[in-house]
Amino acid sequence: DPVDLAALLELAVTAARAAGQELLQRYGHVEGLATKSTATDPVSDADRASEALLVRMLTQQRPADGLLGEEGASRPSTSGITWVVDPLDGTVNYLYQLDNWAVSVAAQDEAGSVVGVVHDPRRDLTYTAVRGGGARCNGRPLAVNDPVPLDRALLGTGFGYSAERRRRQATVIGGVLPRIRDIRRIGSAALDLCAVAAGTLDAFYEEGIQLWDVAAGGLVATEAGAVVSHLRLTDAPTGYLFAGPALHPDLEAALRAAGS
Ligand code: IPD
């Protein structure tokens, strides 16, 4: 059967918004705090409850689909569709009650994301994208800033939790900073990618990003016109640059020069 993209999108939006409600109810009184990959990589009952809710809703509606979640959800697919979810992207912001955090829900097939939804609960903004169908925020179409000259580019970045990788990525950022307008570190890769789509950032670069960080937001950014490339300027297996088509080659060259 052909996949009903509208149905996938509707389910992704409903699930992401429900998870956002769950997170809002727990905001400001975090319980069950623990650490994951490093002492600075947090997880709490909020992340776990949000993932459990997403898994429940997606499984109920589409039991044959696969699942992959940041907090451990994992199920093989027999339908050809796999959901990739980050139940709380921007966990550190959430802990500190900085409002940049989001729920990220993507549906993927063998070629990548077909549907991507990033929900920003504190601002009640829902970013959506369907492969080949453009990107929207609360229904309004999005388009990246383009053309933007390198010396006026506002670059978003983020840092994973490995100390050695942070050191090396900081060198890349330090090298490119004198050549661009400025840097922002919003604290949620999913929201960084939506910011590129909406034109509130000109580009986004990060090393060591996980699939659940980019599966939804990456589709929102590319459907809004961003070009993506795989940089890998540190030891990380993944390193991505997203930017508008005119800026992308110059920024990629500047990052490579800074990283070599
Ligand atoms: C993190 C955020 C952060 C990015 C990290 C991610 P988490 O996700 O997206 O901005 O720099 O690489 O791990 O841990 O809050 O889900």
Side-chain angles (χ1 to χ4, degrees):
D1 286 358
V3 180
D4 182 349
L5 293 182
L8 289 185
L9 178 63
E10 197 189 316
L11 174 58
V13 168
T14 306
R17 293 187 63 91
Q21 272 307 320
E22 176 74 39
L23 291 168
L24 283 174
Q25 276 163 24
R26 294 166 181 267
Y27 199 39
H29 45 93
V30 164
E31 287 171 21
L33 193 59
T35 59
K36 296 193 294 180
S37 62
T38 71
T40 51
D41 181 1
V43 63
S44 76
D45 287 350
D47 305 63
R48 298 184 197 99
S50 174
E51 182 155 309
L53 191 147
L54 290 172
V55 168
R56 204 160 55 234
M57 291 183 76
L58 297 171
T59 307
Q60 230 163 46
Q61 293 285 314
R62 298 189 49 98
D65 292 355
L67 253 165
L68 178 68
E70 175 169 20
E71 306 314 333
S74 171
R75 200 181 58 208
S77 174
T78 56
S79 66
I81 295 291
T82 295
W83 295 92
V84 180
V85 303
D86 189 339
L88 172 51
D89 185 52
T91 306
V92 173
N93 282 342
Y94 184 90
L95 285 179
Y96 283 78
Q97 294 178 63
L98 286 166
D99 285 344
N100 295 317
W101 48 272
V103 180
S104 173
V105 177
Q108 298 201 322
D109 65 11
E110 65 293 333
S113 296
V114 285
V115 159
V117 171
V118 176
H119 180 56
D120 171 347
R122 289 289 288 173
R123 299 179 185 84
D124 199 22
L125 296 176
T126 307
Y127 297 88
T128 58
V130 174
R131 188 197 287 154
R136 290 166 188 274
C137 178
N138 289 2
R140 182 178 51 90
L142 300 176
V144 297
N145 286 336
D146 196 68
V148 176
L150 182 64
D151 62 3
R152 258 166 285 163
L154 186 60
L155 174 64
T157 193
F159 298 93
Y161 299 102
S162 141
E164 179 50 29
R165 191 168 302 153
R166 283 182 171 187
R167 210 169 277 123
R168 288 160 74 167
Q169 192 186 322
T171 307
V172 177
I173 294 294
V176 84
L177 184 55
R179 303 185 59 189
I180 62 177
R181 188 193 291 275
D182 211 340
I183 293 282
R184 293 290 180 271
R185 199 282 192 246
I186 288 174
S188 156
L191 289 182
D192 285 307
L193 290 162
C194 292
V196 172
T200 51
L201 284 178
D202 296 314
F204 174 66
Y205 157 71
E206 183 172 337
E207 297 282 338
I209 208 138
Q210 305 287 333
L211 181 59
W212 44 73
D213 295 322
V214 295
L219 187 66
V220 174
T222 53
E223 284 296 328
V227 175
V228 53
S229 65
H230 192 196
L231 293 192
R232 206 168 185 259
L233 301 177
T234 73
D235 65 325
T238 56
Y240 287 107
L241 170 65
F242 289 80
L247 171 62
H248 191 280
D250 292 351
L251 185 52
E252 177 167 339
L255 287 165
R256 285 195 189 282
S260 59

